[in-house]
């Protein structure tokens, strides 16, 4: 599977753009702020139905424009698949596959898997537990549709349970029976989510360690440790033990929506004890482990998006990474770089891999084709 063509109208800083890609390495070059990363984000939209960087869809419409449009044509084992994403201001986002509109966006997730490596991945280390839960969910959701449904349902029930706890506080009346209705459903969904997250981390750890050694050349031991309220006790017991606290705070204080990943290097927090280079290598290795996990389960090669890989990586590690991803273990790759001459030498010397480079300036792509499909 690979992306053959990408069309944009009014997306971020692009008024219009049409690009055709090779099935190997595609490189976007240009100065900072010209729009290289926005092209990667458009590809992410075609896979996840949303931006990697900005969850508010309307903010991805070019200033003063009435809509944005992203269209992509994938080659899926010789069959063309056309994906359409359009958003008009103050209207619902429209997503289509081969001109058929989705009833639920969740039904699209995982059909065209993508793995993004970006400087913003540092949030996994520096920000709160939500970003690390989002990472686990983004991995599993691309190969397990039932997991995504369970997650959606679990979050809905947590919201309804929270609303009930708030209602109890406002009315001064409490009903265990009313709460039990939600708790019974919550327990079932939480157990399934917990089992799959736990399995993911067990399977990721050895792959993660392998990639870290390849990229860094170091002997440090890196590890992911999964923390959950469900790891050591039945969730129904945990819920009942937390009811006094839940009533006082008026929200659900325990459950898989509080799960976290501990990121360690030689048994210590990578946030506190990892150098910038170690942290960057750590995050890249983690994303490559994600790539392998999706590849193994779906039996296909995800598209790999590499944004500003020179950020906080020395030239030796960058070259090691490029040598790694240019092997036949990986498929189509998109890379951004501020220096036009830096990457061609690595890839064009390899006769078995195709390479295409695009120069980006102020939202304009060199050699861009003018014909675009109309907004529907």
């Amino acid at each position: 599977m690979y992306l053959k063509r990408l069309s944009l109208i009014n997306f971020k800083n692009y008024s219009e753009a049409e690009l055709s890609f090779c099935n190997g390495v595609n490189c976007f070059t240009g100065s900072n702020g010209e729009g290289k990363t926005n092209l990667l984000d458009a590809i992410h939209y075609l896979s996840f139905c949303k931006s990697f960087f900005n969850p508010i869809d309307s903010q991805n419409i070019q200033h003063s424009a009435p809509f944005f449009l992203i269209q992509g044509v994938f080659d899926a084992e010789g069959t063309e698949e056309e994906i359409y994403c359009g958003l008009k201001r103050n209207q619902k986002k429209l997503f289509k596959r081969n001109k058929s509109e989705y009833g639920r966006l969740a039904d699209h997730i995982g059909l065209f898997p993508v793995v993004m490596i970006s400087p913003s991945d540092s949030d996994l280390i520096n920000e709160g537990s939500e970003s690390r839960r989002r990472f686990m969910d983004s991995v599993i959701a691309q190969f397990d549709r039932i997991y995504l449904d369970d997650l959606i349902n679990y979050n809905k029930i947590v919201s309804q349970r929270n609303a009930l706890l708030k209602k109890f506080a406002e009315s001064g009346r409490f009903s265990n029976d009313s709460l039990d209705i939600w708790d019974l459903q919550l327990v079932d969904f939480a157990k399934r989510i917990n089992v799959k997250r736990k399995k993911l981390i067990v399977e990721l750890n050895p792959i993660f360690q392998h990639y870290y050694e390849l990229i860094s050349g170091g002997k440090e031991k890196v590890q992911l440790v999964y923390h959950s309220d469900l790891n050591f006790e039945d969730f129904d017991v945990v819920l009942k033990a937390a009811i006094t606290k839940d009533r006082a705070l008026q929200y659900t204080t325990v459950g898989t929506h509080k799960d976290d990943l501990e990121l360690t290097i030689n048994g210590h927090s990578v946030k506190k004890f990892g150098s910038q280079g170690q942290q960057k290598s750590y995050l890249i290795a983690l994303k490559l482990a994600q790539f392998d996990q999706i590849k193994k389960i779906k039996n296909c090669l995800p598209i790999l998006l590499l944004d500003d890989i020179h950020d906080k990586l020395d030239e030796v590690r960058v070259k090691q990474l490029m040598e790694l991803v240019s092997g036949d273990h990986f498929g189509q790759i998109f890379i951004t770089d501020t220096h036009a001459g830096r990457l061609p030498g690595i890839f064009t010397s390899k006769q078995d891999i195709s390479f295409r480079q695009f120069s980006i300036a102020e939202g304009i792509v060199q050699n861009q084709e003018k014909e675009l499909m109309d907004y529907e």
Side-chain angles (χ1 to χ4, degrees):
M1 180 206 75
Y2 70 97
L3 179 64
K4 295 177 67 175
R5 297 190 298 276
L6 176 68
S7 305
L8 305 178
I9 299 178
N10 301 332
F11 180 70
K12 295 192 174 183
N13 71 325
Y14 288 89
S15 296
E16 292 185 359
E18 176 97 4
L19 301 93
S20 296
F21 304 121
C22 68
N23 61 0
V25 177
N26 299 272
C27 183
F28 305 129
T29 63
S31 301
N32 289 325
E34 302 294 342
K36 304 184 302 297
T37 299
N38 292 343
L39 292 173
L40 300 189
D41 202 26
I43 298 169
H44 188 275
Y45 250 108
L46 294 176
S47 177
F48 281 96
C49 308
K50 62 181 181 180
S51 167
F52 181 81
F53 301 99
N54 189 344
I56 303 174
D57 288 311
S58 61
Q59 293 181 2
N60 295 308
I61 301 176
Q62 191 177 46
H63 297 307
S64 76
F67 66 88
F68 80 63
L69 177 150
I70 306 170
Q71 288 186 129
V73 176
F74 291 86
D75 184 302
E77 298 183 356
T79 301
E80 284 198 350
E81 295 270 2
E82 183 180 316
I83 305 302
Y84 170 104
C85 175
L87 177 71
K88 294 181 179 179
R89 291 192 186 275
N90 304 314
Q91 293 191 22
K92 180 183 175 183
K93 180 166 54 182
L94 189 62
F95 223 90
K96 298 179 182 179
R97 178 185 179 193
N98 298 325
K99 299 183 179 180
S100 296
E101 183 179 354
Y102 282 100
R104 303 186 321 151
L105 295 181
D107 292 336
H108 180 74
I109 308 301
L111 291 179
F112 305 96
V114 159
V115 174
M116 169 83 87
I117 298 178
S118 162
S120 65
D121 291 333
S122 60
D123 288 352
L124 288 169
I125 292 174
N126 299 320
E127 299 300 320
S129 60
E130 182 180 358
S131 62
R132 293 180 285 277
R133 286 193 299 275
R134 193 183 305 122
F135 166 74
M136 289 188 284
D137 295 338
S138 71
V139 180
I140 303 173
Q142 290 202 76
F143 57 74
D144 191 329
R145 186 73 54 81
I146 294 174
Y147 176 86
L148 184 56
D149 287 341
D150 284 345
L151 188 65
I152 291 169
N153 288 324
Y154 175 88
N155 289 330
K156 285 180 181 177
I157 294 169
V158 169
S159 296
Q160 290 163 329
R161 190 179 190 270
N162 290 346
L164 185 59
L165 289 166
K166 186 175 181 180
K167 183 179 178 182
F168 289 155
E170 291 171 348
S171 66
R173 299 175 62 185
F174 176 75
S175 169
N176 248 324
D177 290 341
S178 297
L179 204 61
D180 282 345
I181 293 172
W182 299 119
D183 288 359
L184 287 171
Q185 299 175 68
L186 204 62
V187 167
D188 287 340
F189 289 124
K191 285 181 178 177
R192 292 201 290 269
I193 292 169
N194 172 259
V195 166
K196 291 177 180 179
R197 285 180 177 173
K198 191 182 299 182
K199 183 175 185 289
L200 171 71
I201 302 308
V202 168
E203 294 179 351
L204 275 186
N205 264 316
I207 312 170
F208 172 40
Q209 176 70 37
H210 169 71
Y211 276 122
Y212 182 84
E213 291 174 1
L214 287 179
I215 296 166
S216 70
K219 301 300 181 183
E220 301 97 344
K221 172 71 173 177
V222 294
Q223 189 174 22
L224 308 170
V225 182
Y226 173 48
H227 295 289
S228 176
D229 293 320
L230 283 69
N231 280 354
F232 304 106
E233 197 162 14
D234 288 342
F235 188 34
D236 51 353
V237 175
V238 174
L239 272 174
K240 287 181 171 58
I243 188 58
T244 301
K245 186 177 181 181
D246 288 358
R247 289 181 62 185
L249 296 177
Q250 299 175 39
Y251 65 84
T252 307
T253 60
V254 294
T256 54
H257 61 293
K258 298 293 183 180
D259 286 357
D260 201 356
L261 276 181
E262 183 182 359
L263 312 180
T264 69
I265 183 166
N266 288 334
H268 302 288
S269 166
V270 70
K271 179 179 180 179
K272 294 180 180 178
F273 296 97
S275 68
Q276 284 191 335
Q278 285 174 324
Q279 289 185 6
K280 184 72 176 182
S281 298
Y282 195 102
L283 293 168
I284 292 173
L286 181 55
K287 288 300 189 76
L288 293 180
Q290 171 188 353
F291 180 98
D292 269 25
Q293 187 71 1
I294 296 170
K295 174 186 174 183
K296 179 182 73 174
I297 294 175
K298 290 189 68 68
N299 195 30
C300 75
L301 293 170
I303 293 172
L304 185 61
L305 310 178
L306 301 174
D307 186 26
D308 195 12
I309 45 88
H310 285 83
D311 177 64
K312 297 185 179 66
L313 271 189
D314 58 43
E315 289 300 321
V316 173
R317 294 193 189 202
V318 169
K319 188 172 182 180
Q320 287 173 325
L321 175 60
M322 293 300 97
E323 291 288 343
L324 177 63
V325 300
S326 63
D328 58 9
H329 183 77
F330 293 86
Q332 190 179 36
I333 301 170
F334 293 87
I335 307 176
T336 67
D337 196 356
T338 54
H339 299 287
R342 190 153 45 184
L343 293 177
I346 297 175
F347 293 109
T348 55
S349 63
K350 298 178 179 298
Q351 297 181 357
D352 57 343
I353 189 167
S354 56
F355 180 88
R356 190 170 295 179
Q357 185 160 311
F358 304 83
S359 178
I360 314 297
E362 297 182 346
I364 297 174
V365 183
Q366 297 295 317
N367 302 320
Q368 109 176 307
E369 298 172 13
K370 296 299 182 183
E371 185 176 347
L372 289 172
M373 301 175 191
D374 293 332
Y375 185 87
E376 299 179 16

